[in-house]
Amino acid sequence: MPSTRQRNTVLATAATVSAGALTFVAPPSTPSAARIEPGVATGYAAASQPQSSAGAVGAAMLAAGCAARVTTKGKGQRKAVKVAAVSTDTEVETDCINSIRFLAVDAVNKANSGHPGAPMGQAPIGYLLFAEEMAYNPTDPTWVNRDRFVLSSGHGCMLQYSLLHLAGYDSVAMDDLKQFRQWGSKTPGHPENFETAGIEVTTGPLGMGISNAVGLAAAEAHMAAAYNKPDFTLIDHYTYTIAGDGCMQEGISHEACAYAGHLGLGKLIAFYDDNGITIDGHTDLSFTEDVGKRFEAYGWQVLVVEKGDEDVGAIRKAIADAKACTDKPTLIKVKTTIGFGSPNKADSHDAHGAPLGADEAEATRKQLGWSYGEFEVPDHVYAAFKKQADAGKEKQAEWDKLFAAYKEKEPELAAQFERAVLNRKLPDNWEECLPKLTPEDKGKATRLHSQDCLNAIAPVLPEFMGGSADLAPSNMTLMKCTGDFLKDSYCERNFRFGIREFGMGAVCNALSLDKTGIIPYCATFTIFTDYMRSAIRIAALSQAGTIFVTTHDSIAVGEDGPTHQPIETIPSLRLIPDLTVMRPADGNETAGAYKYAVERSKYESRPTMMAFSRQALPNIPNSSIENTLKGAYEVVECEDPEIILIGTGSEVHVCIDAAKDMDQKVRVVSMPSVEVFRSQPDSYKESLLPKGVPALSVEAAVTTGWGEFSTAQVGINVFGASAPGGTCLEKFGFTAANVKECAERCLKGETGCLSDGSQGKH
Amino acid sequence: MPSTRQRNTVLATAATVSAGALTFVAPPSTPSAARIEPGVATGYAAASQPQSSAGAVGAAMLAAGCAARVTTKGKGQRKAVKVAAVSTDTEVETDCINSIRFLAVDAVNKANSGHPGAPMGQAPIGYLLFAEEMAYNPTDPTWVNRDRFVLSSGHGCMLQYSLLHLAGYDSVAMDDLKQFRQWGSKTPGHPENFETAGIEVTTGPLGMGISNAVGLAAAEAHMAAAYNKPDFTLIDHYTYTIAGDGCMQEGISHEACAYAGHLGLGKLIAFYDDNGITIDGHTDLSFTEDVGKRFEAYGWQVLVVEKGDEDVGAIRKAIADAKACTDKPTLIKVKTTIGFGSPNKADSHDAHGAPLGADEAEATRKQLGWSYGEFEVPDHVYAAFKKQADAGKEKQAEWDKLFAAYKEKEPELAAQFERAVLNRKLPDNWEECLPKLTPEDKGKATRLHSQDCLNAIAPVLPEFMGGSADLAPSNMTLMKCTGDFLKDSYCERNFRFGIREFGMGAVCNALSLDKTGIIPYCATFTIFTDYMRSAIRIAALSQAGTIFVTTHDSIAVGEDGPTHQPIETIPSLRLIPDLTVMRPADGNETAGAYKYAVERSKYESRPTMMAFSRQALPNIPNSSIENTLKGAYEVVECEDPEIILIGTGSEVHVCIDAAKDMDQKVRVVSMPSVEVFRSQPDSYKESLLPKGVPALSVEAAVTTGWGEFSTAQVGINVFGASAPGGTCLEKFGFTAANVKECAERCLKGETGCLSDGSQGKH
């Protein structure tokens, strides 16, 4: 490997190879003044003549094996090299940054759709992360100790695609960039982890990404605390995110970032791209808070880079300062120019969400002195990124060796790590831990059965972790075998999310998408899933294995009244594609729901939402985990029914009671999960709910949608009321007597909603 | 009216009347040391023997007509009186505060459900507001210039009920307090404006109340700017709110409070009840941010009261300081003790959400030196509040005179004020402003028709105001006839909400619930209603006439991809009781939707949600406002159909195209609103969709629920994809060809979902 001096010599020798093909923004480079100074932006036009391309070619040589910076000698030495080679590095650096910019410009132009402005301003940050700072391996995008990157301002995804492409990820070839935002491409309009390897989480809905980053950093903190041993630092990575003005305005950023400050997540480094432009125009219109001061109030370190479009050194220094602060997350507020380099659209809303167009792209090339064509990237730029990717591969190889030694020294932990983290398997027969109940067992609220399940699972699955949005004593979600996950106790597993439902959901989604085998759960009242509905949706879309535990699932909430009584909530969650909703009726169904949710999280990385009762319920004779996993099954058996009563959750028991009073042949079906039942074989579905047999569904929720399974419905299509829970159930029609009466009408051929709760409106 | 000196004499003379029935916390009063000092809480036991009751009886005398402070002489004089009478006032004050506390304790005990702790800590704030600060008239709770009060920590509603009761609101008689949280009572478990006169907004879902308060303060700012004239200050009131730790943690508080700071709403005064306890325990567990610093970052004035349980003077001074700062909202951080006075439960989670119980209530009485029985309020306490209520009545009487003079001087504005604000009527034939289109008019996106409607309405209805969450150029929601509602332009009507959907929703709900006739609208992409779903629900529950304008209503969003493409969104909003969802298919249907929404807002104070297309759509020959108001109607007429195609929004046109290609007798129905159609007479419904005729519904959304109207469905039950909108529609099955094919299957008797979009999954 050549020394620094040798390297510079090589670069100088090679400088003629492609000179003339490159132009530079910077003034003619001299060893002492090559770094672009802040404030020279206005001098661009003068810099459009060709300059030395020594740096560029140097980088190409590095890729051919001369990489002085491909080193495993540690940070100190790397820094020395960089200082020595500052002039050439600066030029390569500029080319790398402009490559990012123009890939974004060109892809958005080609798609005739997208957001070029943000990538043009954020390119220097992206360059530093992917060409200098981050440890990653493009050939193994899921390496457990990789640094994580989240583009919270997901609309600027051409930044991320450009970076993944330059860094050598197969998932984003040049052809993929050319297919930006087209049908079937790997480069959709917002980053989608399930489409594109190298993307950690799905972003776009603003504020969610930075909240995911908090979750990834929390995962790192926990994994490090749980597995690292003296001389064996298995987990030790950073989480970086770039967030824009929109992210900062969204309430979820408050929730998640206040929580991150509370936790003191020192390895979370967030860039705030302070470009002052949103869709409506300048942020003066709506957004004049002091973001830095706000983050200081959260307990973050706050750093400022004034000239983020050009002052790469200042960003580099800020990252170093961020890393030096180990007990607080860091916000680096970087002042950038949206559409940087575009003579007519920079610093305006015009650069935000529309293509620059061919003419302006050309004018921007001129202004930035960029002589390459559309989608053209010079080799030395690829080389610069390859260097970092190669370093990442090397780091992973070292990690593999470390883990091999760890297996010798810490066989038990290593076995657990292999199972839970690397292979993402559950222990054999893990489900034997789940409680089994008989009708002789005292009936209790399913939220208490849920507590039993959580506490049965917790000792068996060390990767099981989560908590409640300040409703632990109501949701019954504390695990007794572990303590609180707090600043000084990252190895513990009870999360204290605070009253921050949306942030909680996004944090938990990231715990799953960290891909280190964590099975996250989070909890609130059923009604307050509304506060985090978007996080639940994104869990389903982005294949995050979050388990949403909710309690107080109907008007039986009682005295808290209609603000707290879900009516439409559970049916509305059933509408979200790829989400499974479970509403168990007793202890065994609760155990079944947990078996389903845990396995679906671990093996399929898919979310489950569960709704538990506040009130006590008896145990059903033939309930079981197996029956629950059919989605629906007979609880009162009847071979040749005249009518079928279908209940979910607490209403199963109302159906059972009604059936007892009826003279007809009645089958009662418990349907803990509509989605699971839908996925059963047609033969089973037809045998359980034969066509032609009248069926009455009973659920303390809106009746919309039940026509799929029942001919007539008992439900509640009005808001509830404040009164004791039993009174609410009675007044709104959830009594055996009313169900019996409706069943008789159903038998006579009446269809549709027979009891909608309006009788309870006073 | 007696002078100050006379008054004290009266008090002294009357001191024997009921002495012995009262006990006091304070040490024996002397003119110089009567005020309770901070820090004496531990000395309570010693104070349990009876003390002078001069203050108490004095208050009773005041009620009998001796009220020196029932004055119209202005603030300066009032202050002078108070200083002179400080000893007696302090004792009355303490009794008032303890009355509030014990009504809360007793009502929660009687209900055996509720939250006593917060009212016990917040009682001094409540006392100051309702007995000293606020202008209100219990006999006319909707007087336009009343001060507004919002209990954002709504679970502590016994504070508000106690205050309304003491202040003399008929809506909360003593019997109502005894019926706390019972079926049919006026005192539900959280404050509900639609149940209880005197409650401004419905709270409980945390963070929403303080956000409503921002909306009420914005309404005040606008009404004052719009109607006040020199010498005619029609509108000039404060908005007070009490928020707890939960409100501060919720993301919505960030959104709304940052917005309030941006707007510089100087008449918004928020108390932060910093009691350090949430359901999980001490806030140390999850909530360690510096709230005051955060609010300073938003541009608020921040004041601190260290001993809020006792230091009434400090709270009083803080309110004065808040009023003195006219260009910023003020946060008064008041350190209180949850369950103050309870010897065993104060400052603990035990006082939060459960009754104290009889024994602890007794112990608390002892500790606070309160000798009155359950639900017993001394007359002098009623008298103290009556004084303030009488002052409020007097103020309203003055206001009436002022308005009579205003009518002379400003007849035009006064007429508008009478129509829009006092009578809450729309101008005659207002709807004539709405556009009417024919098929010859160029087809365009319904979001553009929406823009036309907004701009047609804006000049006709000065009470029409609103805006977008930073999507004005996409939602097309700017009104051209007015400017931006900003700090220095409160008279304008375009709100620039920033990227703060949930806060926006809560602010708009409050604009309606201000009951000054405002018709508020707010806008975002259809998908991001998920971010404010809880505000939409509360609009429906609390009867707020907010118009939710949404655009980009289907997968036709296109390139932005599945994070931005609503699939389940519109159907899920249809599940919310009392919300009307409108999805127009063309220009006339858009006009019809606006006619419906505006009248429903103004006359019924109920919300409407509208979903508009991104893409252009043709105009339908027989669409009209009248047809739209039927909820569904024939667009391709057919007297004796073999099959009916039902479409909504953009899919109506797909149905029309499919029908053209079909050989059968086809009726095509446009159904802009499921809810409106449901409310039509059965005869109309049966004639439009006769039983026995196969019907195929086509909507680019999940198919759940359509069984109510159709026998078979075309929809999309999977997430969308990033590609041009036309490609998405085609790939997922929204083509005339696919609809025709499904219609033919439907004709052959197939039922259920015939096309679910899964053919589009690559």
Side-chain angles (χ1 to χ4, degrees):
Chain A
M1 195 173 283
S3 72
T4 303
R5 178 169 300 277
Q6 282 174 319
R7 179 187 167 215
N8 279 341
T9 310
V10 171
L11 299 185
T13 311
T16 54
V17 177
S18 65
L22 303 178
T23 60
F24 284 90
V25 175
S29 64
T30 65
S32 61
R35 181 150 306 187
I36 299 171
E37 294 300 317
V40 299
T42 51
Y44 283 153
S48 59
Q49 76 257 42
Q51 307 290 344
S52 155
S53 63
V57 181
M61 295 300 294
L62 293 180
C66 312
R69 281 170 60 196
V70 179
T71 170
T72 60
K73 292 170 196 166
K75 202 171 165 185
Q77 187 168 354
R78 187 179 68 117
K79 274 188 176 166
V81 171
K82 280 170 69 176
V83 170
V86 69
S87 73
T88 49
D89 276 6
T90 301
E91 290 158 358
V92 176
E93 186 169 290
T94 305
D95 277 8
C96 289
I97 292 167
N98 281 334
S99 292
I100 298 164
R101 287 180 175 136
F102 285 99
L103 286 175
V105 168
D106 295 343
V108 172
N109 267 353
K110 184 162 194 308
N112 197 25
S113 171
H115 301 75
M120 293 168 79
Q122 295 165 359
I125 302 170
Y127 160 76
L128 278 171
L129 293 180
F130 279 77
E132 284 193 16
E133 293 293 343
M134 280 173 51
Y136 62 85
N137 179 359
T139 61
D140 185 0
T142 60
W143 171 41
V144 289
N145 199 33
R146 70 196 180 278
D147 285 326
R148 267 62 165 183
F149 173 72
V150 174
L151 186 67
S152 190
S153 45
H155 53 277
C157 55
M158 267 311 304
L159 176 84
Q160 198 165 5
Y161 299 142
S162 299
L163 290 167
L164 291 175
H165 170 70
L166 295 171
Y169 284 78
D170 282 350
S171 48
V172 189
M174 188 60 90
D175 278 349
D176 295 305
L177 295 180
K178 292 177 182 170
Q179 286 298 304
F180 180 51
R181 294 189 150 221
Q182 303 309 304
W183 183 263
S185 84
K186 291 287 162 197
T187 48
H190 290 84
E192 297 172 359
N193 57 292
F194 53 95
E195 286 288 356
T196 317
I199 305 276
E200 304 286 353
V201 297
T202 294
T203 56
L206 293 173
M208 205 124 40
I210 191 169
S211 308
N212 290 152
V214 173
L216 295 173
E220 195 273 346
H222 174 74
M223 298 299 285
Y227 289 105
N228 290 353
K229 292 286 165 187
D231 295 329
F232 291 98
T233 304
L234 284 194
I235 301 294
D236 175 31
H237 68 78
Y238 288 90
T239 300
Y240 299 94
T241 183
I242 301 178
D245 291 307
C247 298
M248 291 304 173
Q249 289 179 73
E250 290 288 1
I252 187 174
S253 72
H254 161 58
E255 296 181 6
C257 295
Y259 185 54
H262 173 72
L263 292 177
L265 296 171
K267 286 173 155 178
L268 173 61
I269 301 176
F271 296 91
Y272 162 35
D273 176 19
D274 179 20
N275 67 28
I277 297 288
T278 62
I279 290 174
D280 271 12
H282 199 277
T283 46
D284 281 356
L285 268 180
S286 60
F287 184 51
T288 47
E289 69 176 60
D290 181 340
V291 174
K293 185 169 180 177
R294 175 181 143 215
F295 274 70
E296 283 174 1
Y298 295 153
W300 287 50
Q301 172 178 235
V302 176
L303 307 172
V304 177
V305 174
E306 290 294 347
K307 299 275 178 185
D309 303 316
E310 308 162 273
D311 193 354
V312 179
I315 304 172
R316 187 184 286 116
K317 181 175 180 315
I319 297 172
D321 292 347
K323 289 182 170 178
C325 176
T326 59
D327 62 345
K328 290 177 175 185
T330 294
L331 182 77
I332 306 176
K333 186 177 149 176
V334 187
K335 187 78 204 157
T336 73
T337 307
I338 195 166
F340 178 80
S342 161
N344 302 303
K345 297 192 173 180
D347 196 27
S348 84
H349 157 253
D350 294 337
H352 177 88
L356 291 190
D359 292 348
E360 187 66 11
E362 189 48 41
T364 307
R365 280 183 154 77
K366 208 165 253 176
Q367 173 139 315
L368 291 183
W370 188 248
S371 63
Y372 295 95
E374 284 186 9
F375 295 105
E376 191 181 351
V377 176
D379 287 346
H380 59 276
V381 167
Y382 283 121
F385 283 90
K386 184 172 187 305
K387 194 176 54 175
Q388 185 70 6
D390 287 345
K393 278 179 211 166
E394 180 62 27
K395 278 184 186 160
Q396 182 170 1
E398 283 167 33
W399 189 93
D400 290 343
K401 283 183 215 154
L402 183 76
F403 187 65
Y406 183 84
K407 279 161 83 169
E408 297 291 316
K409 193 78 179 290
E410 302 281 352
E412 212 169 307
L413 265 186
Q416 180 180 304
F417 193 87
E418 283 198 304
R419 175 195 64 75
V421 182
L422 298 179
N423 302 331
R424 300 208 281 280
K425 296 287 173 207
L426 293 165
D428 291 341
N429 307 316
W430 76 274
E431 73 275 16
E432 286 174 6
C433 72
L434 292 169
K436 284 182 189 63
L437 293 116
T438 70
E440 284 67 50
D441 290 308
K442 192 170 160 18
K444 56 186 179 183
T446 51
R447 63 177 167 144
L448 291 168
H449 290 300
S450 166
Q451 182 181 39
D452 293 343
C453 288
L454 287 166
N455 277 285
I457 294 166
V460 176
L461 300 181
E463 66 265 46
F464 190 69
M465 60 185 69
S468 165
D470 194 58
L471 288 170
S474 295
N475 297 146
M476 306 293 180
T477 44
L478 276 187
M479 296 178 285
K480 291 169 191 135
C481 70
T482 180
D484 289 335
F485 178 83
L486 291 172
K487 192 167 187 168
D488 299 316
S489 53
Y490 291 142
C491 58
E492 308 296 337
R493 297 187 274 140
N494 282 309
F495 280 59
R496 299 291 196 163
F497 288 111
I499 305 165
R500 305 179 178 113
E501 295 81 7
F502 196 7
M504 171 175 76
V507 164
C508 283
N509 289 347
L511 291 177
S512 173
L513 293 175
D514 192 56
K515 298 295 174 199
T516 45
I518 293 171
I519 303 171
Y521 70 91
C522 63
T524 185
F525 287 151
T526 306
I527 191 76
F528 294 127
T529 55
D530 275 357
Y531 271 52
M532 60 168 168
R533 187 173 172 90
S534 195
I536 298 174
R537 181 183 210 264
I538 291 289
L541 172 64
S542 71
Q543 303 175 12
T546 307
I547 302 175
F548 297 94
V549 176
T550 77
T551 70
H552 298 62
D553 69 349
S554 76
I555 49 168
V557 159
E559 291 90 343
D560 275 347
T563 55
H564 284 55
Q565 293 170 348
I567 301 295
E568 76 288 7
T569 318
I570 293 171
S572 83
L573 289 163
R574 289 192 186 119
L575 301 184
I576 298 178
D578 299 336
L579 177 71
T580 300
V581 176
M582 287 274 186
R583 186 170 186 241
D586 74 350
N588 289 331
E589 287 193 10
T590 301
Y594 271 99
K595 176 170 160 59
Y596 176 91
V598 165
E599 295 184 349
R600 187 165 148 89
S601 173
K602 191 79 181 186
Y603 293 137
E604 299 173 53
S605 195
R606 298 278 191 171
T608 302
M609 182 271 177
M610 301 197 281
F612 297 114
S613 73
R614 179 191 181 201
Q615 75 273 30
L617 303 172
N619 286 303
I620 300 167
N622 54 346
S623 68
S624 66
I625 289 177
E626 294 67 35
N627 276 333
T628 307
L629 297 179
K630 295 176 191 164
Y633 64 98
E634 274 184 293
V635 290
V636 173
E637 295 180 7
C638 175
E639 230 171 83
D640 182 24
E642 293 166 78
I643 185 168
I644 301 169
L645 304 181
I646 308 171
T648 81
S650 46
E651 286 71 72
V652 173
H653 307 280
V654 183
C655 292
I656 292 172
D657 290 346
K660 282 179 192 156
D661 278 356
M662 290 173 66
D663 302 324
Q664 294 86 354
K665 291 188 282 180
V666 184
R667 173 182 293 170
V668 178
V669 166
S670 174
M671 193 181 285
S673 175
V674 166
E675 297 81 12
V676 175
F677 180 61
R678 261 195 210 123
S679 69
Q680 299 303 303
D682 286 343
S683 57
Y684 177 69
K685 289 192 276 189
E686 170 62 21
S687 72
L688 189 69
L689 302 176
K691 280 189 191 74
V693 178
L696 180 75
S697 58
V698 184
E699 185 174 59
V702 295
T703 53
T704 302
W706 272 106
E708 185 178 348
F709 304 107
S710 62
T711 54
Q713 296 86 34
V714 171
I716 174 167
N717 293 329
V718 296
F719 287 114
S722 172
T727 305
C728 289
L729 289 170
E730 187 198 322
K731 296 280 187 182
F732 288 108
F734 298 95
T735 61
N738 187 48
V739 169
K740 183 186 168 196
E741 192 190 312
C742 292
E744 278 157 6
R745 290 167 59 195
C746 179
L747 271 161
K748 286 179 193 150
E750 282 193 61
T751 59
C753 182
L754 305 186
S755 177
D756 65 0
S758 59
Q759 67 269 43
K761 294 312 273 189
H762 45 268
Chain B
M1 194 171 282
S3 73
T4 303
R5 180 169 298 279
Q6 280 173 321
R7 177 185 170 217
N8 279 341
T9 311
V10 171
L11 300 184
T13 310
T16 54
V17 175
S18 64
L22 303 178
T23 59
F24 284 90
V25 175
S29 65
T30 65
S32 62
R35 181 150 305 187
I36 299 169
E37 294 301 318
V40 300
T42 52
Y44 282 152
S48 59
Q49 76 257 43
Q51 307 289 344
S52 155
S53 61
V57 180
M61 294 301 293
L62 292 181
C66 312
R69 282 169 62 195
V70 179
T71 171
T72 60
K73 293 172 195 167
K75 202 170 165 186
Q77 187 169 357
R78 189 178 69 116
K79 274 189 176 166
V81 171
K82 280 170 70 176
V83 171
V86 68
S87 72
T88 50
D89 275 7
T90 302
E91 289 159 358
V92 176
E93 185 169 289
T94 305
D95 277 9
C96 288
I97 292 167
N98 281 334
S99 291
I100 299 164
R101 287 181 176 135
F102 284 99
L103 286 176
V105 168
D106 295 343
V108 173
N109 267 353
K110 182 159 196 308
N112 197 27
S113 171
H115 301 76
M120 294 168 78
Q122 295 165 1
I125 302 170
Y127 159 76
L128 278 171
L129 293 179
F130 279 76
E132 283 192 15
E133 294 292 343
M134 280 172 52
Y136 60 87
N137 178 0
T139 61
D140 184 1
T142 61
W143 171 41
V144 289
N145 199 32
R146 71 196 180 277
D147 285 325
R148 268 61 166 183
F149 173 72
V150 175
L151 185 68
S152 190
S153 45
H155 53 277
C157 54
M158 267 311 304
L159 176 84
Q160 199 165 3
Y161 298 142
S162 300
L163 290 167
L164 291 176
H165 170 69
L166 295 172
Y169 283 78
D170 282 349
S171 49
V172 190
M174 187 60 89
D175 278 349
D176 295 306
L177 295 179
K178 291 178 182 170
Q179 286 298 303
F180 180 51
R181 293 187 152 223
Q182 303 309 304
W183 182 262
S185 83
K186 290 287 161 200
T187 48
H190 291 84
E192 296 172 0
N193 57 291
F194 53 95
E195 286 288 356
T196 317
I199 305 276
E200 304 286 353
V201 297
T202 294
T203 57
L206 292 174
M208 204 123 41
I210 191 169
S211 308
N212 291 152
V214 173
L216 295 174
E220 195 274 345
H222 174 75
M223 297 299 286
Y227 289 105
N228 290 352
K229 292 286 165 187
D231 295 328
F232 291 98
T233 304
L234 284 194
I235 301 293
D236 175 31
H237 69 78
Y238 288 90
T239 300
Y240 299 94
T241 183
I242 301 178
D245 291 306
C247 298
M248 291 304 173
Q249 290 179 73
E250 290 289 1
I252 187 174
S253 73
H254 162 58
E255 296 181 6
C257 295
Y259 185 54
H262 172 71
L263 292 178
L265 296 171
K267 286 175 156 175
L268 173 60
I269 301 177
F271 296 90
Y272 162 34
D273 177 20
D274 179 19
N275 68 27
I277 297 290
T278 62
I279 291 175
D280 270 13
H282 198 277
T283 46
D284 281 356
L285 267 179
S286 61
F287 184 51
T288 48
E289 68 176 62
D290 181 340
V291 174
K293 185 169 179 175
R294 176 181 143 216
F295 273 70
E296 282 174 3
Y298 295 153
W300 288 50
Q301 173 179 234
V302 176
L303 307 173
V304 178
V305 173
E306 290 294 347
K307 300 274 178 187
D309 303 316
E310 306 163 274
D311 193 353
V312 177
I315 303 172
R316 186 183 287 117
K317 180 176 181 313
I319 296 172
D321 291 348
K323 289 183 171 178
C325 176
T326 59
D327 62 345
K328 291 177 175 186
T330 294
L331 183 77
I332 306 176
K333 186 177 150 178
V334 187
K335 187 77 203 157
T336 72
T337 306
I338 194 168
F340 177 81
S342 161
N344 303 302
K345 298 191 173 180
D347 197 27
S348 85
H349 158 252
D350 293 337
H352 177 88
L356 291 190
D359 291 349
E360 188 65 13
E362 188 49 40
T364 307
R365 280 185 155 74
K366 208 167 254 175
Q367 174 138 315
L368 291 183
W370 187 249
S371 63
Y372 295 96
E374 284 185 9
F375 295 105
E376 191 181 351
V377 176
D379 287 346
H380 61 276
V381 168
Y382 282 121
F385 282 91
K386 184 172 188 304
K387 192 177 55 175
Q388 186 70 5
D390 287 345
K393 278 179 213 167
E394 179 63 27
K395 279 183 186 161
Q396 183 170 359
E398 282 168 35
W399 189 93
D400 290 344
K401 282 181 217 154
L402 184 76
F403 187 65
Y406 184 84
K407 278 161 85 169
E408 298 290 319
K409 191 79 179 292
E410 301 281 350
E412 211 169 310
L413 265 185
Q416 180 180 305
F417 193 87
E418 282 198 305
R419 175 195 65 75
V421 183
L422 298 180
N423 303 329
R424 300 208 281 280
K425 296 285 174 211
L426 294 165
D428 291 341
N429 307 316
W430 77 274
E431 74 274 15
E432 285 174 7
C433 72
L434 292 169
K436 282 181 191 64
L437 294 115
T438 70
E440 285 64 51
D441 291 308
K442 193 171 158 18
K444 56 185 179 182
T446 50
R447 63 177 166 145
L448 291 168
H449 290 300
S450 166
Q451 181 181 38
D452 293 343
C453 288
L454 287 166
N455 277 286
I457 295 167
V460 176
L461 300 182
E463 66 265 47
F464 191 68
M465 59 184 69
S468 165
D470 194 57
L471 287 170
S474 294
N475 297 145
M476 306 294 179
T477 44
L478 276 187
M479 296 177 287
K480 290 167 192 138
C481 69
T482 180
D484 289 335
F485 178 83
L486 290 172
K487 193 168 187 167
D488 299 316
S489 53
Y490 291 143
C491 58
E492 308 297 336
R493 296 187 274 140
N494 281 310
F495 280 59
R496 297 292 194 163
F497 288 111
I499 304 165
R500 306 179 176 113
E501 295 82 7
F502 196 7
M504 171 175 75
V507 164
C508 284
N509 289 346
L511 291 178
S512 173
L513 293 176
D514 192 54
K515 297 294 174 202
T516 45
I518 293 170
I519 303 171
Y521 70 91
C522 63
T524 185
F525 287 152
T526 306
I527 191 76
F528 295 127
T529 55
D530 276 358
Y531 271 52
M532 59 167 168
R533 188 174 170 89
S534 194
I536 299 174
R537 181 183 210 264
I538 292 289
L541 172 63
S542 71
Q543 303 175 11
T546 307
I547 301 175
F548 297 94
V549 176
T550 78
T551 70
H552 296 63
D553 69 348
S554 77
I555 50 169
V557 160
E559 292 91 343
D560 275 347
T563 55
H564 285 55
Q565 293 170 349
I567 301 296
E568 76 287 7
T569 317
I570 293 171
S572 82
L573 289 164
R574 290 193 186 118
L575 302 183
I576 297 179
D578 299 335
L579 178 70
T580 300
V581 176
M582 287 274 185
R583 187 170 185 241
D586 75 349
N588 289 331
E589 288 194 9
T590 301
Y594 271 98
K595 175 171 161 61
Y596 177 90
V598 165
E599 295 185 348
R600 187 166 148 89
S601 173
K602 191 81 181 186
Y603 293 137
E604 299 175 51
S605 195
R606 299 278 192 171
T608 302
M609 183 270 177
M610 300 196 280
F612 297 114
S613 74
R614 179 191 182 202
Q615 76 274 29
L617 304 172
N619 287 303
I620 300 168
N622 54 345
S623 67
S624 66
I625 288 177
E626 295 66 37
N627 276 333
T628 306
L629 297 178
K630 296 175 191 163
Y633 65 99
E634 273 183 293
V635 290
V636 172
E637 295 178 8
C638 176
E639 229 172 82
D640 181 25
E642 293 167 78
I643 185 168
I644 300 169
L645 304 181
I646 309 171
T648 81
S650 46
E651 285 71 73
V652 173
H653 307 279
V654 184
C655 291
I656 293 172
D657 289 347
K660 283 180 195 158
D661 279 357
M662 291 173 66
D663 303 323
Q664 295 85 355
K665 291 187 282 180
V666 184
R667 173 182 293 170
V668 178
V669 167
S670 174
M671 193 181 285
S673 176
V674 166
E675 297 81 12
V676 174
F677 181 62
R678 260 195 209 122
S679 69
Q680 298 304 303
D682 286 343
S683 57
Y684 178 68
K685 289 192 275 190
E686 171 62 21
S687 73
L688 189 69
L689 301 176
K691 280 190 191 76
V693 179
L696 180 74
S697 58
V698 184
E699 185 174 59
V702 295
T703 54
T704 301
W706 272 106
E708 185 179 348
F709 305 107
S710 63
T711 55
Q713 295 85 35
V714 171
I716 174 167
N717 293 328
V718 297
F719 287 113
S722 173
T727 306
C728 288
L729 289 171
E730 186 199 323
K731 296 281 187 182
F732 287 109
F734 299 95
T735 61
N738 187 49
V739 169
K740 183 186 167 196
E741 192 191 311
C742 292
E744 278 157 6
R745 290 166 60 194
C746 179
L747 272 160
K748 285 178 192 150
E750 282 194 61
T751 60
C753 182
L754 304 186
S755 177
D756 66 0
S758 58
Q759 67 269 43
K761 295 311 274 187
H762 44 270

